[in-house]
PDB file of all heavy atoms in Angstrom:
ATOM      1  N   THR J 210      61.161  99.982 128.771  1.00  0.00           N
ATOM      2  CA  THR J 210      61.600  98.666 128.348  1.00  0.00           C
ATOM      3  C   THR J 210      62.225  98.699 127.015  1.00  0.00           C
ATOM      4  O   THR J 210      61.892  99.524 126.136  1.00  0.00           O
ATOM      5  CB  THR J 210      60.413  97.641 128.366  1.00  0.00           C
ATOM      6  OG1 THR J 210      59.332  98.101 127.516  1.00  0.00           O
ATOM      7  CG2 THR J 210      59.847  97.526 129.798  1.00  0.00           C
ATOM      8  N   ASN J 211      63.084  97.712 126.779  1.00  0.00           N
ATOM      9  CA  ASN J 211      63.673  97.476 125.473  1.00  0.00           C
ATOM     10  C   ASN J 211      63.665  95.974 125.224  1.00  0.00           C
ATOM     11  O   ASN J 211      63.874  95.183 126.124  1.00  0.00           O
ATOM     12  CB  ASN J 211      65.122  97.961 125.442  1.00  0.00           C
ATOM     13  CG  ASN J 211      65.201  99.487 125.537  1.00  0.00           C
ATOM     14  OD1 ASN J 211      64.815 100.173 124.594  1.00  0.00           O
ATOM     15  ND2 ASN J 211      65.720  99.961 126.678  1.00  0.00           N
ATOM     16  N   TYR J 212      63.378  95.617 124.000  1.00  0.00           N
ATOM     17  CA  TYR J 212      63.294  94.256 123.593  1.00  0.00           C
ATOM     18  C   TYR J 212      64.156  93.930 122.343  1.00  0.00           C
ATOM     19  O   TYR J 212      64.201  94.813 121.467  1.00  0.00           O
ATOM     20  CB  TYR J 212      61.854  93.806 123.319  1.00  0.00           C
ATOM     21  CG  TYR J 212      60.932  93.844 124.466  1.00  0.00           C
ATOM     22  CD1 TYR J 212      60.191  94.974 124.754  1.00  0.00           C
ATOM     23  CD2 TYR J 212      60.763  92.711 125.323  1.00  0.00           C
ATOM     24  CE1 TYR J 212      59.351  95.008 125.863  1.00  0.00           C
ATOM     25  CE2 TYR J 212      59.907  92.778 126.393  1.00  0.00           C
ATOM     26  CZ  TYR J 212      59.193  93.890 126.636  1.00  0.00           C
ATOM     27  OH  TYR J 212      58.340  93.919 127.727  1.00  0.00           O
ATOM     28  N   ALA J 213      64.695  92.754 122.307  1.00  0.00           N
ATOM     29  CA  ALA J 213      65.308  92.300 121.089  1.00  0.00           C
ATOM     30  C   ALA J 213      64.201  92.139 120.025  1.00  0.00           C
ATOM     31  O   ALA J 213      63.059  91.737 120.357  1.00  0.00           O
ATOM     32  CB  ALA J 213      66.034  90.988 121.270  1.00  0.00           C
ATOM     33  N   ASP J 214      64.543  92.472 118.774  1.00  0.00           N
ATOM     34  CA  ASP J 214      63.518  92.353 117.712  1.00  0.00           C
ATOM     35  C   ASP J 214      62.958  90.898 117.626  1.00  0.00           C
ATOM     36  O   ASP J 214      61.828  90.737 117.288  1.00  0.00           O
ATOM     37  CB  ASP J 214      64.119  92.750 116.383  1.00  0.00           C
ATOM     38  CG  ASP J 214      64.350  94.233 116.263  1.00  0.00           C
ATOM     39  OD1 ASP J 214      63.796  94.988 117.068  1.00  0.00           O
ATOM     40  OD2 ASP J 214      65.138  94.653 115.401  1.00  0.00           O
ATOM     41  N   SER J 215      63.777  89.947 117.913  1.00  0.00           N
ATOM     42  CA  SER J 215      63.351  88.566 117.783  1.00  0.00           C
ATOM     43  C   SER J 215      62.303  88.132 118.835  1.00  0.00           C
ATOM     44  O   SER J 215      61.646  87.146 118.583  1.00  0.00           O
ATOM     45  CB  SER J 215      64.582  87.635 117.904  1.00  0.00           C
ATOM     46  OG  SER J 215      65.230  87.788 119.156  1.00  0.00           O
ATOM     47  N   VAL J 216      62.171  88.885 119.867  1.00  0.00           N
ATOM     48  CA  VAL J 216      61.212  88.478 120.874  1.00  0.00           C
ATOM     49  C   VAL J 216      60.110  89.520 121.089  1.00  0.00           C
ATOM     50  O   VAL J 216      59.105  89.245 121.805  1.00  0.00           O
ATOM     51  CB  VAL J 216      61.880  88.273 122.279  1.00  0.00           C
ATOM     52  CG1 VAL J 216      63.025  87.306 122.126  1.00  0.00           C
ATOM     53  CG2 VAL J 216      62.392  89.623 122.887  1.00  0.00           C
ATOM     54  N   LYS J 217      60.233  90.694 120.418  1.00  0.00           N
ATOM     55  CA  LYS J 217      59.222  91.669 120.589  1.00  0.00           C
ATOM     56  C   LYS J 217      57.824  91.230 120.151  1.00  0.00           C
ATOM     57  O   LYS J 217      57.694  90.673 119.117  1.00  0.00           O
ATOM     58  CB  LYS J 217      59.660  92.953 119.848  1.00  0.00           C
ATOM     59  CG  LYS J 217      58.861  94.220 120.230  1.00  0.00           C
ATOM     60  CD  LYS J 217      59.526  95.428 119.561  1.00  0.00           C
ATOM     61  CE  LYS J 217      58.876  96.746 120.040  1.00  0.00           C
ATOM     62  NZ  LYS J 217      59.494  97.933 119.493  1.00  0.00           N
ATOM     63  N   GLY J 218      56.894  91.501 120.993  1.00  0.00           N
ATOM     64  CA  GLY J 218      55.531  91.016 120.703  1.00  0.00           C
ATOM     65  C   GLY J 218      55.229  89.638 121.308  1.00  0.00           C
ATOM     66  O   GLY J 218      54.037  89.265 121.386  1.00  0.00           O
ATOM     67  N   ARG J 219      56.267  88.907 121.697  1.00  0.00           N
ATOM     68  CA  ARG J 219      56.088  87.588 122.320  1.00  0.00           C
ATOM     69  C   ARG J 219      56.449  87.594 123.809  1.00  0.00           C
ATOM     70  O   ARG J 219      55.850  86.878 124.569  1.00  0.00           O
ATOM     71  CB  ARG J 219      56.853  86.578 121.583  1.00  0.00           C
ATOM     72  CG  ARG J 219      56.454  86.364 120.130  1.00  0.00           C
ATOM     73  CD  ARG J 219      57.242  85.156 119.514  1.00  0.00           C
ATOM     74  NE  ARG J 219      58.649  85.337 119.476  1.00  0.00           N
ATOM     75  CZ  ARG J 219      59.521  84.510 120.067  1.00  0.00           C
ATOM     76  NH1 ARG J 219      59.088  83.467 120.775  1.00  0.00           N
ATOM     77  NH2 ARG J 219      60.808  84.751 119.984  1.00  0.00           N
ATOM     78  N   PHE J 220      57.493  88.348 124.113  1.00  0.00           N
ATOM     79  CA  PHE J 220      57.974  88.369 125.527  1.00  0.00           C
ATOM     80  C   PHE J 220      57.589  89.680 126.188  1.00  0.00           C
ATOM     81  O   PHE J 220      57.516  90.727 125.520  1.00  0.00           O
ATOM     82  CB  PHE J 220      59.502  88.243 125.564  1.00  0.00           C
ATOM     83  CG  PHE J 220      60.043  86.897 125.126  1.00  0.00           C
ATOM     84  CD1 PHE J 220      59.258  85.908 124.595  1.00  0.00           C
ATOM     85  CD2 PHE J 220      61.382  86.634 125.243  1.00  0.00           C
ATOM     86  CE1 PHE J 220      59.714  84.706 124.177  1.00  0.00           C
ATOM     87  CE2 PHE J 220      61.917  85.379 124.862  1.00  0.00           C
ATOM     88  CZ  PHE J 220      61.091  84.416 124.317  1.00  0.00           C
ATOM     89  N   THR J 221      57.396  89.637 127.459  1.00  0.00           N
ATOM     90  CA  THR J 221      57.130  90.826 128.230  1.00  0.00           C
ATOM     91  C   THR J 221      57.959  90.822 129.506  1.00  0.00           C
ATOM     92  O   THR J 221      57.934  89.830 130.259  1.00  0.00           O
ATOM     93  CB  THR J 221      55.624  90.923 128.645  1.00  0.00           C
ATOM     94  OG1 THR J 221      54.848  90.914 127.448  1.00  0.00           O
ATOM     95  CG2 THR J 221      55.344  92.203 129.425  1.00  0.00           C
ATOM     96  N   ILE J 222      58.700  91.889 129.715  1.00  0.00           N
ATOM     97  CA  ILE J 222      59.533  92.066 130.900  1.00  0.00           C
ATOM     98  C   ILE J 222      58.792  92.995 131.868  1.00  0.00           C
ATOM     99  O   ILE J 222      58.175  93.940 131.499  1.00  0.00           O
ATOM    100  CB  ILE J 222      60.887  92.578 130.606  1.00  0.00           C
ATOM    101  CG1 ILE J 222      61.812  92.501 131.872  1.00  0.00           C
ATOM    102  CG2 ILE J 222      60.871  93.976 130.017  1.00  0.00           C
ATOM    103  CD1 ILE J 222      63.316  92.723 131.545  1.00  0.00           C
ATOM    104  N   SER J 223      58.889  92.638 133.141  1.00  0.00           N
ATOM    105  CA  SER J 223      58.261  93.484 134.164  1.00  0.00           C
ATOM    106  C   SER J 223      59.130  93.393 135.410  1.00  0.00           C
ATOM    107  O   SER J 223      59.974  92.487 135.571  1.00  0.00           O
ATOM    108  CB  SER J 223      56.815  93.085 134.465  1.00  0.00           C
ATOM    109  OG  SER J 223      56.771  91.709 134.894  1.00  0.00           O
ATOM    110  N   ARG J 224      58.894  94.288 136.351  1.00  0.00           N
ATOM    111  CA  ARG J 224      59.673  94.225 137.617  1.00  0.00           C
ATOM    112  C   ARG J 224      58.738  94.634 138.755  1.00  0.00           C
ATOM    113  O   ARG J 224      57.858  95.463 138.633  1.00  0.00           O
ATOM    114  CB  ARG J 224      60.895  95.084 137.560  1.00  0.00           C
ATOM    115  CG  ARG J 224      60.656  96.613 137.389  1.00  0.00           C
ATOM    116  CD  ARG J 224      61.928  97.386 137.037  1.00  0.00           C
ATOM    117  NE  ARG J 224      62.763  97.608 138.292  1.00  0.00           N
ATOM    118  CZ  ARG J 224      63.956  98.207 138.241  1.00  0.00           C
ATOM    119  NH1 ARG J 224      64.432  98.646 137.102  1.00  0.00           N
ATOM    120  NH2 ARG J 224      64.594  98.396 139.356  1.00  0.00           N
ATOM    121  N   ASP J 225      59.047  94.090 139.897  1.00  0.00           N
ATOM    122  CA  ASP J 225      58.355  94.373 141.137  1.00  0.00           C
ATOM    123  C   ASP J 225      59.377  94.918 142.082  1.00  0.00           C
ATOM    124  O   ASP J 225      60.174  94.159 142.683  1.00  0.00           O
ATOM    125  CB  ASP J 225      57.676  93.152 141.723  1.00  0.00           C
ATOM    126  CG  ASP J 225      56.808  93.462 142.953  1.00  0.00           C
ATOM    127  OD1 ASP J 225      57.039  94.533 143.587  1.00  0.00           O
ATOM    128  OD2 ASP J 225      55.982  92.671 143.296  1.00  0.00           O
ATOM    129  N   ASP J 226      59.459  96.240 142.243  1.00  0.00           N
ATOM    130  CA  ASP J 226      60.560  96.852 143.023  1.00  0.00           C
ATOM    131  C   ASP J 226      60.425  96.523 144.515  1.00  0.00           C
ATOM    132  O   ASP J 226      61.385  96.509 145.209  1.00  0.00           O
ATOM    133  CB  ASP J 226      60.553  98.365 142.825  1.00  0.00           C
ATOM    134  CG  ASP J 226      61.014  98.792 141.524  1.00  0.00           C
ATOM    135  OD1 ASP J 226      61.744  97.973 140.811  1.00  0.00           O
ATOM    136  OD2 ASP J 226      60.735  99.948 141.067  1.00  0.00           O
ATOM    137  N   ALA J 227      59.170  96.288 144.947  1.00  0.00           N
ATOM    138  CA  ALA J 227      58.952  95.893 146.367  1.00  0.00           C
ATOM    139  C   ALA J 227      59.598  94.564 146.690  1.00  0.00           C
ATOM    140  O   ALA J 227      60.000  94.284 147.813  1.00  0.00           O
ATOM    141  CB  ALA J 227      57.518  95.865 146.725  1.00  0.00           C
ATOM    142  N   LYS J 228      59.708  93.702 145.653  1.00  0.00           N
ATOM    143  CA  LYS J 228      60.357  92.370 145.846  1.00  0.00           C
ATOM    144  C   LYS J 228      61.726  92.240 145.212  1.00  0.00           C
ATOM    145  O   LYS J 228      62.319  91.209 145.262  1.00  0.00           O
ATOM    146  CB  LYS J 228      59.449  91.332 145.225  1.00  0.00           C
ATOM    147  CG  LYS J 228      58.037  91.234 145.867  1.00  0.00           C
ATOM    148  CD  LYS J 228      57.194  90.216 145.140  1.00  0.00           C
ATOM    149  CE  LYS J 228      55.831  90.113 145.827  1.00  0.00           C
ATOM    150  NZ  LYS J 228      54.942  89.067 145.166  1.00  0.00           N
ATOM    151  N   ASP J 229      62.192  93.375 144.635  1.00  0.00           N
ATOM    152  CA  ASP J 229      63.503  93.360 143.935  1.00  0.00           C
ATOM    153  C   ASP J 229      63.546  92.182 142.901  1.00  0.00           C
ATOM    154  O   ASP J 229      64.523  91.447 142.817  1.00  0.00           O
ATOM    155  CB  ASP J 229      64.670  93.270 144.894  1.00  0.00           C
ATOM    156  CG  ASP J 229      64.840  94.538 145.684  1.00  0.00           C
ATOM    157  OD1 ASP J 229      64.407  95.623 145.201  1.00  0.00           O
ATOM    158  OD2 ASP J 229      65.416  94.491 146.804  1.00  0.00           O
ATOM    159  N   THR J 230      62.521  92.037 142.177  1.00  0.00           N
ATOM    160  CA  THR J 230      62.263  90.939 141.267  1.00  0.00           C
ATOM    161  C   THR J 230      61.969  91.375 139.856  1.00  0.00           C
ATOM    162  O   THR J 230      61.170  92.309 139.701  1.00  0.00           O
ATOM    163  CB  THR J 230      61.235  89.987 141.784  1.00  0.00           C
ATOM    164  OG1 THR J 230      61.629  89.463 143.077  1.00  0.00           O
ATOM    165  CG2 THR J 230      61.089  88.779 140.860  1.00  0.00           C
ATOM    166  N   VAL J 231      62.555  90.740 138.900  1.00  0.00           N
ATOM    167  CA  VAL J 231      62.271  90.967 137.515  1.00  0.00           C
ATOM    168  C   VAL J 231      61.718  89.695 136.943  1.00  0.00           C
ATOM    169  O   VAL J 231      62.125  88.607 137.261  1.00  0.00           O
ATOM    170  CB  VAL J 231      63.484  91.476 136.704  1.00  0.00           C
ATOM    171  CG1 VAL J 231      64.621  90.430 136.686  1.00  0.00           C
ATOM    172  CG2 VAL J 231      63.093  91.917 135.297  1.00  0.00           C
ATOM    173  N   TYR J 232      60.750  89.832 136.002  1.00  0.00           N
ATOM    174  CA  TYR J 232      60.090  88.710 135.342  1.00  0.00           C
ATOM    175  C   TYR J 232      60.224  88.813 133.860  1.00  0.00           C
ATOM    176  O   TYR J 232      60.349  89.866 133.289  1.00  0.00           O
ATOM    177  CB  TYR J 232      58.631  88.661 135.732  1.00  0.00           C
ATOM    178  CG  TYR J 232      58.340  88.707 137.174  1.00  0.00           C
ATOM    179  CD1 TYR J 232      58.066  89.895 137.880  1.00  0.00           C
ATOM    180  CD2 TYR J 232      58.296  87.541 137.891  1.00  0.00           C
ATOM    181  CE1 TYR J 232      57.757  89.926 139.199  1.00  0.00           C
ATOM    182  CE2 TYR J 232      57.980  87.533 139.307  1.00  0.00           C
ATOM    183  CZ  TYR J 232      57.737  88.743 139.887  1.00  0.00           C
ATOM    184  OH  TYR J 232      57.508  88.781 141.282  1.00  0.00           O
ATOM    185  N   LEU J 233      60.174  87.636 133.205  1.00  0.00           N
ATOM    186  CA  LEU J 233      60.132  87.588 131.805  1.00  0.00           C
ATOM    187  C   LEU J 233      59.024  86.623 131.426  1.00  0.00           C
ATOM    188  O   LEU J 233      59.215  85.385 131.574  1.00  0.00           O
ATOM    189  CB  LEU J 233      61.468  87.169 131.164  1.00  0.00           C
ATOM    190  CG  LEU J 233      61.533  87.166 129.642  1.00  0.00           C
ATOM    191  CD1 LEU J 233      61.441  88.608 129.155  1.00  0.00           C
ATOM    192  CD2 LEU J 233      62.794  86.538 129.149  1.00  0.00           C
ATOM    193  N   GLN J 234      57.934  87.100 130.938  1.00  0.00           N
ATOM    194  CA  GLN J 234      56.841  86.275 130.438  1.00  0.00           C
ATOM    195  C   GLN J 234      57.131  85.984 128.965  1.00  0.00           C
ATOM    196  O   GLN J 234      57.251  86.877 128.102  1.00  0.00           O
ATOM    197  CB  GLN J 234      55.538  86.958 130.569  1.00  0.00           C
ATOM    198  CG  GLN J 234      54.316  86.229 130.038  1.00  0.00           C
ATOM    199  CD  GLN J 234      54.060  84.911 130.811  1.00  0.00           C
ATOM    200  OE1 GLN J 234      54.030  84.964 132.053  1.00  0.00           O
ATOM    201  NE2 GLN J 234      53.903  83.842 130.124  1.00  0.00           N
ATOM    202  N   MET J 235      57.308  84.713 128.683  1.00  0.00           N
ATOM    203  CA  MET J 235      57.616  84.247 127.317  1.00  0.00           C
ATOM    204  C   MET J 235      56.463  83.452 126.745  1.00  0.00           C
ATOM    205  O   MET J 235      56.096  82.421 127.255  1.00  0.00           O
ATOM    206  CB  MET J 235      58.906  83.404 127.315  1.00  0.00           C
ATOM    207  CG  MET J 235      60.102  84.113 127.987  1.00  0.00           C
ATOM    208  SD  MET J 235      61.614  83.110 127.862  1.00  0.00           S
ATOM    209  CE  MET J 235      61.170  81.718 128.902  1.00  0.00           C
ATOM    210  N   ASN J 236      55.872  84.026 125.707  1.00  0.00           N
ATOM    211  CA  ASN J 236      54.775  83.410 124.999  1.00  0.00           C
ATOM    212  C   ASN J 236      55.128  83.002 123.613  1.00  0.00           C
ATOM    213  O   ASN J 236      56.085  83.585 123.005  1.00  0.00           O
ATOM    214  CB  ASN J 236      53.555  84.327 124.977  1.00  0.00           C
ATOM    215  CG  ASN J 236      53.062  84.694 126.396  1.00  0.00           C
ATOM    216  OD1 ASN J 236      53.105  83.831 127.292  1.00  0.00           O
ATOM    217  ND2 ASN J 236      52.582  85.861 126.565  1.00  0.00           N
ATOM    218  N   ARG J 237      54.392  82.083 123.015  1.00  0.00           N
ATOM    219  CA  ARG J 237      54.642  81.634 121.665  1.00  0.00           C
ATOM    220  C   ARG J 237      56.081  81.318 121.428  1.00  0.00           C
ATOM    221  O   ARG J 237      56.684  81.770 120.470  1.00  0.00           O
ATOM    222  CB  ARG J 237      54.113  82.678 120.639  1.00  0.00           C
ATOM    223  CG  ARG J 237      52.630  83.087 120.871  1.00  0.00           C
ATOM    224  CD  ARG J 237      52.041  83.836 119.710  1.00  0.00           C
ATOM    225  NE  ARG J 237      52.798  85.015 119.272  1.00  0.00           N
ATOM    226  CZ  ARG J 237      52.785  86.170 119.854  1.00  0.00           C
ATOM    227  NH1 ARG J 237      52.031  86.388 120.899  1.00  0.00           N
ATOM    228  NH2 ARG J 237      53.517  87.148 119.363  1.00  0.00           N
ATOM    229  N   LEU J 238      56.589  80.486 122.312  1.00  0.00           N
ATOM    230  CA  LEU J 238      58.012  80.163 122.271  1.00  0.00           C
ATOM    231  C   LEU J 238      58.338  79.367 120.964  1.00  0.00           C
ATOM    232  O   LEU J 238      57.553  78.565 120.518  1.00  0.00           O
ATOM    233  CB  LEU J 238      58.357  79.342 123.490  1.00  0.00           C
ATOM    234  CG  LEU J 238      58.573  80.163 124.752  1.00  0.00           C
ATOM    235  CD1 LEU J 238      58.466  79.309 126.001  1.00  0.00           C
ATOM    236  CD2 LEU J 238      59.893  80.872 124.741  1.00  0.00           C
ATOM    237  N   LYS J 239      59.505  79.585 120.498  1.00  0.00           N
ATOM    238  CA  LYS J 239      60.037  78.989 119.325  1.00  0.00           C
ATOM    239  C   LYS J 239      61.286  78.183 119.650  1.00  0.00           C
ATOM    240  O   LYS J 239      61.992  78.499 120.618  1.00  0.00           O
ATOM    241  CB  LYS J 239      60.335  80.000 118.218  1.00  0.00           C
ATOM    242  CG  LYS J 239      59.240  80.976 117.864  1.00  0.00           C
ATOM    243  CD  LYS J 239      59.666  82.007 116.920  1.00  0.00           C
ATOM    244  CE  LYS J 239      58.550  82.873 116.517  1.00  0.00           C
ATOM    245  NZ  LYS J 239      59.002  84.025 115.614  1.00  0.00           N
ATOM    246  N   PRO J 240      61.613  77.156 118.856  1.00  0.00           N
ATOM    247  CA  PRO J 240      62.842  76.408 119.112  1.00  0.00           C
ATOM    248  C   PRO J 240      64.079  77.293 119.171  1.00  0.00           C
ATOM    249  O   PRO J 240      65.028  77.011 119.963  1.00  0.00           O
ATOM    250  CB  PRO J 240      62.937  75.414 117.942  1.00  0.00           C
ATOM    251  CG  PRO J 240      61.481  75.184 117.549  1.00  0.00           C
ATOM    252  CD  PRO J 240      60.838  76.546 117.774  1.00  0.00           C
ATOM    253  N   GLU J 241      64.141  78.351 118.373  1.00  0.00           N
ATOM    254  CA  GLU J 241      65.263  79.263 118.400  1.00  0.00           C
ATOM    255  C   GLU J 241      65.374  80.089 119.698  1.00  0.00           C
ATOM    256  O   GLU J 241      66.356  80.801 119.919  1.00  0.00           O
ATOM    257  CB  GLU J 241      65.249  80.204 117.165  1.00  0.00           C
ATOM    258  CG  GLU J 241      63.899  80.855 116.926  1.00  0.00           C
ATOM    259  CD  GLU J 241      63.065  80.153 115.916  1.00  0.00           C
ATOM    260  OE1 GLU J 241      62.936  78.940 116.017  1.00  0.00           O
ATOM    261  OE2 GLU J 241      62.504  80.879 115.048  1.00  0.00           O
TER     262      GLU J 241
END
């Protein structure tokens, strides 16, 4: 995985190859 510095530690990307699906869990969201 690779993350933008602005989201590292707050966002988590994952994928489920069986479902051909990618997810983005976004925590501690900011207005920016």
